[in-house]
Structures are given as structure tokens and as C-alpha cells.
Amino acid sequence: MTTDIQEWERQLQRELTEIRSHSQQLAAAIAVVRGRGELRGVLVEVDADGDITDLQIAPGAMRSPSNQLAGVLRHCHRKA
């Protein structure tokens, strides 16, 4: 009977090790996922969590009224 329990524990450890390995591979793959939104000289890039990783605003876009620029930024962020 103890042999069965010991074998079950070893099998469980092997499966947990495999799950951890797959989890690490998945996390690494997700870390490189990026989305981009671009409109009227504004470019927003986000990671898989939606956090901004890159923001570029062309000089011409800076001449827009602030509420327009803010709207474009929000749009690009949502699109990304």
C-alpha cells in the first residue's frame, strides 16, 4: 500500500513539474505579445495586459487642440 502512495506522489511531482514548465513557456510567449493602434500621427503600443510599452506623437499631432489629441490617444490605446 505504501508503494502505491509513493508511486502516486512521484507521478504527481512529475505532473506538477510539467505544469510549471508549460506555465513558464506560456508566460514567456505572452510577454512578447504586442498590440498597436495608430491614427493621425499618434502611435500607441501595448503589451498583453494593455499597458503602454511605446508612445509616439508626431510633431504635427502636437499642434492639435488638447481635447482632440487626448481623444486620438484614447482611441489608439483602445485599438491597440
Side-chain angles (χ1 to χ4, degrees):
M1 180 151 175
T2 44
T3 306
D4 291 339
I5 291 173
Q6 290 170 342
E7 179 56 35
W8 178 80
E9 286 176 342
R10 284 192 292 275
Q11 179 64 28
L12 182 60
Q13 281 297 356
R14 286 190 295 270
E15 290 175 5
L16 285 173
T17 299
E18 185 176 337
I19 289 169
R20 284 186 190 105
S21 173
H22 288 225
S23 175
Q24 290 170 348
Q25 292 171 1
L26 180 60
I30 288 173
V32 297
V33 170
R34 295 289 183 265
R36 291 181 129 201
E38 188 171 2
L39 180 67
R40 296 186 199 149
V42 174
L43 175 110
V44 176
E45 181 182 271
V46 299
D47 62 14
D49 292 324
D51 295 329
I52 296 174
T53 57
D54 190 19
L55 172 62
Q56 298 175 22
I57 303 173
M62 298 293 286
R63 290 189 276 281
S64 300
S66 62
N67 63 334
Q68 268 188 325
L69 181 55
V72 170
L73 284 164
R74 284 190 303 273
H75 172 82
C76 289
H77 187 237
R78 279 192 305 272
K79 186 177 175 188

